[in-house]
């Protein structure tokens, strides 16, 4: 597991599909160009492929980038489908990232039913 996620300023989930052949430089260019964010601020950036069976996580670690790559052998990551395509990123919590990497639905994307008592 990523050892410094709790120390991250923010965790950004990319809403766009990314070519998993991209490495650190390509992902950092997406962060700077498309997201208009600074990859050197210590934030965590999460990317996935079209099949949602691979994830790359990019983070600046004081003296260099760390790239975390995970591939599911069976099944897919529970990528949220309720994300608006108009935004490039969605801000999630570090606990949501841990749930995503574990193959679970992220807490903030679980639909909650509001029950009313008459």
């Amino acid at each position: 597991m990523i050892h410094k996620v709790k120390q991250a300023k923010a965790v950004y989930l990319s809403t766009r599909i990314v070519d998993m052949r991209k490495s650190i430089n390509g992902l950092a260019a997406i962060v700077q160009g498309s997201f208009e964010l600074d990859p050197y601020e210590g934030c965590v950036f999460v990317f996935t492929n079209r099949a949602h069976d691979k994830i790359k996580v990019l983070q600046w670690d004081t003296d260099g980038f760390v790239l975390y790559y995970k591939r599911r052998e069976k099944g897919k990551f529970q990528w949220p489908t309720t994300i608006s395509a108009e935004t490039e990123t969605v801000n999630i919590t570090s606990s949501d990232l841990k749930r995503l990497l574990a193959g679970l639905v992220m807490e903030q994307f679980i639909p909650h039913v509001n029950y009313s008592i008459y």
Side-chain angles (χ1 to χ4, degrees):
M1 186 58 209
I2 303 172
H3 66 285
K4 293 189 178 182
V5 170
K6 288 187 178 180
Q7 298 174 2
K9 285 185 174 182
V11 180
Y12 293 100
L13 190 70
S14 173
T15 60
R16 62 188 277 185
I17 301 302
V18 173
D19 182 358
M20 284 291 123
R21 294 176 291 182
K22 289 194 182 299
S23 189
I24 291 172
N25 292 339
L27 296 175
I30 291 172
V31 170
Q32 286 179 320
S34 297
F35 302 168
E36 297 178 358
L37 295 169
D38 185 6
Y40 300 100
E41 286 185 358
C43 298
V44 174
F45 302 95
V46 185
F47 303 90
T48 189
N49 63 338
R50 186 172 309 280
H52 300 302
D53 62 346
K54 298 176 182 94
I55 283 184
K56 283 192 176 182
V57 179
L58 180 69
Q59 183 180 18
W60 176 256
D61 184 28
T62 64
D63 62 348
F65 281 104
V66 176
L67 184 63
Y68 179 80
Y69 176 76
K70 185 170 183 176
R71 180 186 72 192
R72 297 290 308 254
E73 288 299 320
K74 293 182 180 178
K76 299 179 178 189
F77 290 101
Q78 298 297 314
W79 206 261
T81 57
T82 58
I83 298 176
S84 171
E86 298 166 359
T87 60
E88 291 283 336
T89 61
V90 173
N91 202 352
I92 63 171
T93 64
S94 58
S95 62
D96 273 343
L97 176 59
K98 289 178 185 176
R99 289 179 62 86
L100 176 67
L101 293 174
L104 302 171
V105 177
M106 290 180 277
E107 189 82 21
Q108 71 185 45
F109 296 104
I110 297 174
H112 297 285
V113 178
N114 293 329
Y115 294 102
S116 62
I117 301 174
Y118 292 95

